[in-house]
Amino acid sequence: MTPPLPPSGGLSEAEISALRKNLRNARIAARETLPEPERAARTAHIESHLDALVDRLRPRRLAFCWPWRGEVDLVPWMTRWLAADPARQAALPVVRAAGQPMIFLRWHPEAPMATDHHGIPVPAGDERIEPDLILVPLNVFDGAGFRLGYGGGYFDRTLAALDPAPATAGVAFELARADTCWPQPHDQSMDWLVTEAGWWDVRAKSSGD
């Protein structure tokens, strides 16, 4: 369930749009310029917290995103997660048509890959998966679980269309955290947040590290 939106402070739609765009661009730039040793250390902590979260949630079908523009690289972690249990399945989101919800296609380390219109790797096969849990990349996030993506609305559209809705865990470096994302009525909040600092249940306010 999406929490109530915070007040806009009397700002116009255009002003809020500009705030969101500037915040998104600034945090992406900060992420892209992380020194590699620091990125690796932060990623290792995130992987540890993901281990704890999935041990708690126990998904069998897990969706994630191929890293883009300096996002947290979950490919090695996902490879290990799959190898630990042959019954597990992983999937990547794929955009098939503009303005439509994404679908999730099965992925494994040996899966043939293609690229989408952004040049991001996607499975070349057509086996669809209905995930139990989706690991969602966050350009910016706030404590209420709202996020800023890239402005295309792909995840918001997809999450609104899925029934039953899977659990969602936003994954990002702490540098993506903000006081607010200036969420809009169509924005879908995350159920969980995971950074190098720990994991949080957004609704219950419980956490782990």
Side-chain angles (χ1 to χ4, degrees), residues 3 142-146 189-193 200-206:
D142 61 29
F146 289 106
S189 66
M190 301 292 98
D191 299 313
W192 304 83
L193 295 170
W200 297 266
D201 182 336
V202 173
R203 299 154 301 174
K205 304 299 182 184
S206 62

Side-chain angles (χ1 to χ4, degrees), residues 100-139:
Q100 297 298 311
M102 298 182 292
I103 64 171
F104 295 90
L105 296 181
R106 189 174 182 183
W107 175 88
H108 55 83
E110 294 77 37
M113 301 292 282
T115 55
D116 67 9
H117 63 289
H118 291 297
I120 301 172
V122 295
D126 58 5
E127 183 179 354
R128 295 181 65 159
I129 297 291
E130 299 297 330
D132 304 316
L133 174 65
I134 304 175
L135 304 180
V136 182
L138 315 171
N139 290 326

Side-chain angles (χ1 to χ4, degrees), residues 63-78:
F64 73 112
C65 292
W66 203 268
W68 192 46
R69 298 194 64 183
E71 293 169 348
V72 180
D73 184 355
L74 296 180
V75 177
W77 179 86
M78 185 63 71

Side-chain angles (χ1 to χ4, degrees), residues 10-114:
L11 297 173
S12 69
E13 183 176 334
E15 288 171 326
I16 290 175
S17 178
L19 285 169
R20 284 160 61 93
K21 179 180 179 180
N22 291 337
L23 184 58
R24 175 190 296 115
N25 291 343
R27 299 306 170 88
I28 291 174
R31 184 180 71 207
E32 290 181 319
T33 56
L34 269 178
E36 192 52 42
E38 184 176 351
R39 176 183 298 277
R42 293 188 185 204
T43 299
H45 286 300
I46 288 172
E47 291 176 339
S48 176
H49 300 316
L50 277 174
D51 286 338
L53 181 60
V54 298
D55 186 60
R56 173 173 177 158
L57 300 180
R58 299 196 176 280
R60 307 301 293 175
R61 301 179 302 277
L62 186 53
F64 73 112
C65 292
W66 203 268
W68 192 46
R69 298 194 64 183
E71 293 169 348
V72 180
D73 184 355
L74 296 180
V75 177
W77 179 86
M78 185 63 71
T79 300
R80 294 192 296 272
W81 183 80
L82 286 174
D85 186 341
R88 293 173 174 173
Q89 295 182 332
L92 289 167
V94 179
V95 177
R96 282 287 173 85
Q100 297 298 311
M102 298 182 292
I103 64 171
F104 295 90
L105 296 181
R106 189 174 182 183
W107 175 88
H108 55 83
E110 294 77 37
M113 301 292 282

